Amino acid sequence: MATTTPRRRGPRATGDARSDILAAARSEFADKGYAAASVRGIARLAEVDPALVHHYFAGKSQLFAATMDLELDPHDIVRKILDGPRQDAGQRLVRTFLAIWDAPERRAQVAALVRSMFGGPPEKSPVREFVLPELIMRVCTELQVDDPARRAGLIASQMLGLIAGRYVLQLPPVVALGAEDMVRTYGETIRRYLFD
Amino acid sequence: MATTTPRRRGPRATGDARSDILAAARSEFADKGYAAASVRGIARLAEVDPALVHHYFAGKSQLFAATMDLELDPHDIVRKILDGPRQDAGQRLVRTFLAIWDAPERRAQVAALVRSMFGGPPEKSPVREFVLPELIMRVCTELQVDDPARRAGLIASQMLGLIAGRYVLQLPPVVALGAEDMVRTYGETIRRYLFD
């Protein structure tokens, strides 16, 4: 395959290389899922050299975050959650996730992403392939909790339900929750799921 | 409309009346949503007398439960959750919901229902129109908690995330949770959302 596909060494003459790479990445992640997609395959599809992908994006997880229009680097998200007193990690997790999702202009986009996941094959969903292993599981292992996979699953189930209830189904009492109420109430749930 | 649509006084000659009513109800709930649908409208669509609908189904909520192939009467579900020590209501809620959803032969059906909700308009989702007001909110008001709508929303967000994670996205650590672990762990979360 690789030998029959033309490669380029620089940005395409038509269009801008970063956009081409992002479009190729969206297509590759949608077709293969996060785990099976590769920077090399995305470069091939975008008809650029893999080094150019790495010029724009530090790695696969950062590229994936960019295809979801997440402006934050996943490593930064994890670091933000870990940065502070251990017992407050649950509240920081909720606060950090809300900072990404809950801006009024992002909500429709988050809802569209979740809808698309629920319509597609489960083994390719970004939650299963990306959010769970690259964000939530990483927080659990960095905190050195016992049975991190079970705890990550519990945390994912609560955060997923918050997104589903607030942005997708728009349940009135979930839409009505204030930011500080969510940080306190869901933060205590996440604290229990992390440490109890 | 009603005057131009023929009415029948008994079961249809072709097919069986209960199935016709269920088919009409599925169509009416899908078109109008639970809140706007009426037993009268469903009877009209099924071309039977409303009294015949009431002969087979106690009311709109029971009819709705039947269209979702829930074998349980919503009133019985609420009674089961309320029946026992107050502080264990959270665990009983999780146990009762799992008894409905978690049989291996029901999981695909639950996943299909949730997928369809996530694809459709939020204001017509059965969670927003039925599960929240007729089941969860009813439990909250019967327990005479303060701010029952907020508590019902919190509970809905956790139960929704459990369904989404376990049946739809099939996150491995959520699929792996044992029944007693879920009753204990999510039960404590629901207890807090009810009473803390």
Side-chain angles (χ1 to χ4, degrees), chain A residues 62-85:
Chain A
Q62 288 81 1
L63 183 52
F64 184 75
T67 65
M68 297 204 297
D69 292 317
L70 285 175
E71 278 125 46
L72 286 167
D73 184 320
H75 295 175
D76 291 343
I77 298 176
V78 172
R79 219 185 42 233
K80 266 192 188 168
I81 296 170
L82 295 172
D83 184 26

Side-chain angles (χ1 to χ4, degrees), chain A residues 114-115 117-123 125 127-129 132 149-150 152-158 160-162 164-165 168-174 177 181 184-186 188-190 192-193, chain B residues 114-115 117-123 125 127-129 132 149-150 152-158 160-162 164-165 168-174 177 181 184-186 188-190 192-193:
Chain A
V114 175
R115 275 175 197 279
M117 275 184 337
F118 275 63
E123 62 278 4
S125 83
V127 172
R128 181 152 147 181
E129 295 231 302
L132 188 64
R150 171 178 169 277
L154 292 170
I155 293 167
S157 76
Q158 176 59 89
L160 201 52
L162 171 56
V168 185
L169 301 185
Q170 300 169 28
L171 305 178
V174 183
L177 292 168
D181 187 8
R184 214 170 32 243
T185 307
Y186 291 120
E188 170 60 14
T189 302
I190 306 305
R192 282 185 45 241
Y193 292 168
Chain B
V114 174
R115 275 175 199 280
M117 275 185 334
F118 275 62
E123 62 279 4
S125 82
V127 172
R128 180 153 148 180
E129 294 231 302
L132 188 64
R150 172 179 169 277
L154 293 170
I155 294 167
S157 76
Q158 176 58 89
L160 201 53
L162 171 55
V168 185
L169 301 185
Q170 300 170 27
L171 305 178
V174 183
L177 292 169
D181 187 7
R184 210 170 35 242
T185 307
Y186 291 120
E188 170 61 14
T189 302
I190 306 306
R192 282 184 45 241
Y193 291 168

Side-chain angles (χ1 to χ4, degrees), chain B residues 24-34 36 45 121 124:
Chain B
R26 281 201 182 87
S27 158
E28 189 84 343
F29 287 132
D31 286 352
K32 299 194 173 168
Y34 177 77
L45 198 64
K124 288 185 186 170

Side-chain angles (χ1 to χ4, degrees), chain A residues 81 86-91 93 136 139-140 143 145-146 151-152 154-155 187-196:
Chain A
I81 296 170
R86 182 178 168 86
Q87 71 272 18
D88 298 336
Q91 291 204 359
L93 185 145
I136 300 178
V139 168
C140 293
L143 288 169
V145 295
D146 62 297
R151 294 177 184 282
L154 292 170
I155 293 167
E188 170 60 14
T189 302
I190 306 305
R191 189 202 61 70
R192 282 185 45 241
Y193 292 168
L194 278 171
F195 301 122
D196 283 5

Side-chain angles (χ1 to χ4, degrees), chain A residues 44-45 48 63 88 95 97 109 124 147 152 156 174 187:
Chain A
R44 195 180 307 138
L45 198 64
V48 300
L63 183 52
D88 298 336
R95 198 184 293 283
F97 278 26
Q109 187 188 336
K124 289 186 188 169
D147 205 350
V174 183

Side-chain angles (χ1 to χ4, degrees), chain B residues 6-130:
Chain B
R7 299 279 190 101
R8 286 160 171 274
R9 300 245 143 233
R12 308 181 66 164
T14 59
D16 105 85
R18 191 176 184 282
S19 308
D20 290 345
I21 292 166
L22 269 179
R26 281 201 182 87
S27 158
E28 189 84 343
F29 287 132
D31 286 352
K32 299 194 173 168
Y34 177 77
S38 68
V39 167
R40 186 161 288 276
I42 289 163
R44 196 180 306 138
L45 198 64
E47 302 183 10
V48 300
D49 194 277
L52 192 66
V53 178
H54 285 293
H55 168 73
Y56 287 111
F57 304 97
K60 187 165 76 162
S61 75
Q62 288 83 0
L63 183 51
F64 185 75
T67 65
M68 297 203 298
D69 292 318
L70 285 176
E71 279 124 46
L72 287 167
D73 184 318
H75 295 175
D76 290 342
I77 297 175
V78 172
R79 218 184 43 233
K80 266 192 189 168
I81 296 170
L82 296 172
D83 184 27
R86 182 178 169 87
Q87 72 272 18
D88 299 335
Q91 292 206 357
R92 284 195 305 274
L93 184 145
V94 176
R95 198 184 292 282
T96 304
F97 278 26
L98 285 177
I100 301 170
W101 301 329
D102 206 47
E105 70 274 16
R106 308 296 303 266
R107 292 178 188 188
Q109 187 188 337
V110 171
L113 178 70
V114 174
R115 275 175 199 280
S116 76
M117 275 185 334
F118 275 62
E123 62 279 4
K124 288 185 186 170
S125 82
V127 172
R128 180 153 148 180
E129 294 231 302
F130 180 77

